[in-house]
């Protein structure tokens, strides 16, 4: 079940923020490791080479197969070159996981135009460029599976928090519709495109970024507050996202395209 043997998977954002050796993993790191455990050869992408190398070390220590490639997914030429490097080394591309993003606070008045542009590039353009250069390879193979990572911020507004992340929310909503549109365009060519939509997750961003920006430098207090906000009583983690990606990219999901798996412990269902 859910075997990835013989498949080649590109995972963007395959490193994690935070100190080396952290037990808390990001979504890309977890996804890369899970796909490798199921037999895929994984082409790891990140701009942080040290973080990417740590993911590679974990996979290789477990007997998996992977390669690393530094790539800024916001730069067209780098993405195009990355795809050539992957096919040159591993021969094909069966899976693409677009997992690059990050939020910046602000509403339309307070947010600078530069921040808006950067947020759209980081959260939406990266998926566009990944698809732009990978899809021709998949068309030539007559098969492929793409998963784009969105966020519940693209589906509902958390007015009670008092925070606005207008560009992030817009970009993640865009990811969902982008996936649906691409899925419809390429369905007859054997290519499936879906979205995983994480909710409140306990990833390194909580410990090493959000704790500073919104948590008053108290990671434990922030974790407790986020746990309490989830109907199941606790946040998910990167493995929850990774297993959703694994399913959607597996042959068992062969009749699933143009849809979303929401991984949020019931949060969006509980919102008014």
């Amino acid at each position: 079940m859910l075997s990835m043997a013989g498949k080649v998977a590109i995972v963007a954002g395959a490193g994690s923020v935070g100190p080396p050796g952290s037990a808390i993993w990001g979504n890309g790191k977890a996804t890369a490791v899970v796909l490798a455990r199921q037999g895929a050869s994984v082409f790891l992408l990140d701009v942080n080479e040290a973080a990417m190398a740590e993911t590679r070390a974990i996979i290789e220590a477990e007997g998996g197969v992977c390669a690393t490639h530094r790539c800024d997914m916001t730069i067209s030429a780098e993405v195009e070159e990355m795809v050539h490097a992957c096919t040159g080394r591993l021969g094909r591309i069966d899976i693409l996981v677009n997992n690059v993003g990050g939020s910046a606070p602000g509403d339309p008045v307070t947010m600078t135009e530069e921040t808006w542009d950067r947020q759209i590039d980081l959260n939406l353009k990266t998926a566009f460029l990944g698809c732009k250069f990978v899809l021709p390879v998949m068309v030539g193979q007559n098969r492929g599976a793409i998963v784009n990572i969105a966020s519940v911020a693209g589906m509902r507004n958390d007015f009670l928090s008092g925070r606005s992340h207008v560009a992030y929310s817009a970009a993640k909503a865009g990811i969902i519709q982008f996936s649906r549109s691409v899925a419809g365009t390429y369905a007859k060519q054997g290519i499936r495109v879906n979205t995983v939509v994480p909710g409140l997750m306990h990833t390194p961003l909580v410990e090493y970024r959000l704790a500073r920006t919104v948590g008053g430098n108290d990671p434990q207090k922030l974790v407790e507050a986020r746990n309490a906000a989830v109907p199941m009583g606790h946040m998910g983690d990167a493995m929850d996202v990774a297993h959703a990606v694994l399913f959607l990219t597996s042959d068992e999901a062969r009749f699933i395209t143009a849809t979303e798996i929401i991984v949020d412990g019931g949060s969006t269902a509980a919102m008014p």
Side-chain angles (χ1 to χ4, degrees), residues 5-251:
K7 294 186 178 182
V8 173
I10 293 176
V11 179
S16 283
V17 301
S22 174
I24 304 170
W25 290 5
N27 295 331
K29 183 175 187 175
T31 297
V33 171
V34 165
L35 291 173
R37 286 174 178 169
Q38 297 303 111
S41 298
V42 187
F43 203 62
L44 310 173
L45 310 180
D46 212 299
V47 293
N48 185 330
E49 295 188 69
M52 187 166 47
E54 184 171 334
T55 304
R56 178 177 183 171
I58 292 168
I59 291 172
E60 291 181 340
E62 295 181 353
V65 176
C66 67
T68 59
H69 188 94
R70 188 190 186 284
C71 180
D72 185 335
M73 292 292 291
T74 67
I75 299 176
S76 179
E78 291 196 18
V79 180
E80 183 176 22
E81 190 275 330
M82 173 274 293
V83 170
H84 290 313
C86 182
T87 55
R89 180 159 185 169
L90 298 175
R92 57 187 295 113
I93 301 171
D94 300 288
I95 296 164
L96 170 64
V97 182
N98 283 310
N99 171 64
V100 177
S103 64
D107 60 44
V109 176
T110 61
M111 180 174 284
T112 67
E113 185 176 351
E114 291 75 19
T115 298
W116 170 271
D117 289 344
R118 175 62 179 166
Q119 282 282 285
I120 298 301
D121 284 354
L122 186 65
N123 290 290
L124 185 55
K125 183 181 178 181
T126 51
F128 161 71
L129 289 177
C131 290
K132 180 176 181 64
F133 295 108
V134 166
L135 278 166
V137 177
M138 291 182 171
V139 168
Q141 299 168 172
N142 260 341
R143 63 175 293 143
I146 298 172
V147 173
N148 300 314
I149 307 299
S151 166
V152 294
M155 299 180 67
R156 56 99 172 115
N157 294 299
D158 182 9
F159 298 113
L160 299 179
S161 71
R163 298 189 303 273
S164 176
H165 297 76
V166 62
Y168 180 74
S169 295
K172 290 305 187 182
I175 283 286
I176 294 170
Q177 188 55 38
F178 173 77
S179 298
R180 293 173 181 171
S181 179
V182 176
T185 302
Y186 289 89
K188 284 185 168 54
Q189 293 166 280
I191 299 165
R192 299 184 298 104
V193 187
N194 292 291
T195 307
V196 170
V197 186
L200 292 174
M201 314 302 291
H202 195 173
T203 66
L205 290 175
V206 176
E207 303 279 334
Y208 307 111
R209 186 172 301 169
L210 294 180
R212 295 196 312 270
T213 58
V214 301
N217 288 317
D218 188 340
Q220 186 56 39
K221 183 178 179 181
L222 179 61
V223 167
E224 291 173 358
R226 286 166 67 91
N227 284 339
V230 180
M232 292 183 71
H234 62 85
M235 288 183 284
D237 62 27
M239 281 297 181
D240 296 308
V241 173
H243 285 114
V245 174
L246 172 64
F247 171 66
L248 287 173
T249 55
S250 71
D251 290 341

Side-chain angles (χ1 to χ4, degrees), residues 244-261:
V245 174
L246 172 64
F247 171 66
L248 287 173
T249 55
S250 71
D251 290 341
E252 283 76 6
R254 63 187 182 182
F255 201 55
I256 299 174
T257 195
T259 194
E260 302 82 43
I261 290 183

